Amino acid sequence: MSEPTEVNGTTGAAQGAESAESAAGTAGRHVRVVLVDDHRMFRTGVQAEIGQTEQTGVEVVGEAADVDQAVTVITATRPEVVLLDVHLPGGGGVEVLRRCAPLMGDAEQPVRFLALSVSDAAEDVIGVIRGGARGYVTKTITGTDLVDSIFRVQEGDAVFSPRLAGFVLDAFASTDAPPVDEDMDRLTQREREVLRLIARGYAYKEIAKQLFISVKTVESHVSAVLRKLQLSNRHELTRWATARRLV
């Protein structure tokens, strides 16, 4: 019988044992995930980073770029975890959560949501957590930490990026502000999206492109926001949004 081949001081038999040990580390660790983000290149990057199922245990079973696609794919695939961007055409991540509420409440096969966003704005974080998301991490997270967060959410844990954890607790425990902003509640989800982009300095054409709507529709939403909030112009609107940390 021939001797095991030696590579860098490790025998082939030893290498096989290490491979078996590595495989055992991922054995039984499996989660089905849907990626929801309106940037195709970002979805491709996440898929490449975490979607090597044999190594990570993560199986990406679907992708979506807007609210309607997300609801359709999530309903069809029934993943265990959804990686959800906050800003999406069609109503945003909060709208996906609202329409998928029955799936989240399924006692036998719940669909859990982990927000994955570039934004760390207070309104974004609190909005999706109130909507039912189990956690919120920013897009600066590493692939390893993202995989870990996905499995923790699958198990029912709440997961937040370190900087956001204390912020979320403070926001919900704060007695300085009411838990519900009555002014914000007057606005529809689309009006809130337009408000946020206006406050960030986007031109009407840029907002229209970002939300896949016409410039005329943007103008209508801005007029509605100004009327509901009893403001006169976009400069007052920006100050109002900044005061509420929406920018």
Side-chain angles (χ1 to χ4, degrees):
M1 180 180 294
S2 61
E3 294 295 326
T5 303
E6 181 173 343
V7 180
N8 294 331
T10 303
T11 65
Q15 282 185 312
E18 289 175 358
S19 297
E21 183 178 354
S22 176
T26 60
R29 199 169 115 107
H30 181 266
V31 59
R32 300 170 67 254
V33 172
V34 164
L35 305 178
V36 181
D37 193 287
D38 60 340
H39 293 96
R40 182 180 59 80
M41 289 185 65
F42 179 76
R43 296 198 310 271
T44 300
V46 172
Q47 166 82 312
E49 186 75 18
I50 71 172
Q52 303 300 316
T53 308
E54 291 184 0
Q55 285 75 40
T56 65
V58 176
E59 179 187 2
V60 178
V61 296
E63 299 182 15
D66 59 36
V67 170
D68 288 340
Q69 288 180 12
V71 174
T72 298
V73 172
I74 293 166
T75 302
T77 61
R78 297 297 293 267
E80 290 146 311
V81 177
V82 177
L83 288 180
L84 180 68
D85 192 12
V86 174
H87 301 143
L88 293 168
V94 172
E95 179 64 13
V96 175
L97 291 164
R98 185 187 70 79
R99 291 168 60 178
C100 290
L103 301 180
M104 287 189 282
D106 188 323
E108 295 185 359
Q109 190 181 350
V111 176
R112 296 189 169 103
F113 288 78
L114 174 62
L116 175 62
S117 176
V118 69
S119 170
D120 59 2
E123 208 268 336
D124 289 338
V125 178
I126 300 306
V128 295
I129 298 305
R130 282 184 175 149
R134 295 293 304 174
Y136 195 115
V137 295
T138 60
K139 290 181 177 179
T140 57
I141 193 170
T142 66
T144 300
D145 287 343
L146 181 56
V147 169
D148 180 64
S149 297
I150 290 169
F151 278 105
R152 288 176 60 192
V153 167
Q154 179 195 26
E155 294 164 1
D157 289 346
V159 180
F160 297 93
S161 290
R163 195 175 71 80
L164 299 182
F167 161 72
V168 172
L169 290 173
D170 291 344
F172 278 94
S174 175
T175 57
D176 298 331
V180 176
D181 189 324
E182 294 183 0
D183 289 331
M184 284 295 292
D185 281 352
R186 295 191 185 100
L187 306 181
T188 66
Q189 181 63 33
R190 178 47 59 87
E191 288 169 351
R192 295 182 190 189
E193 291 178 334
V194 171
L195 161 65
R196 191 180 298 108
L197 293 173
I198 284 286
R200 291 174 179 171
Y202 283 68
Y204 285 4
K205 287 184 178 179
E206 293 173 321
I207 296 173
K209 183 177 181 180
Q210 180 87 0
L211 300 181
F212 298 93
I213 57 179
S214 68
V215 173
K216 185 175 181 180
T217 301
V218 174
E219 293 172 348
S220 297
H221 285 313
V222 172
S223 296
V225 170
L226 292 173
R227 182 181 69 256
K228 291 179 180 181
L229 299 181
Q230 298 183 343
L231 301 174
S232 301
N233 52 56
R234 66 180 296 165
H235 299 295
E236 290 185 1
L237 187 152
T238 299
R239 287 197 296 270
W240 186 92
T242 302
R244 284 164 171 78
R245 297 191 294 175
L246 303 182
V247 180

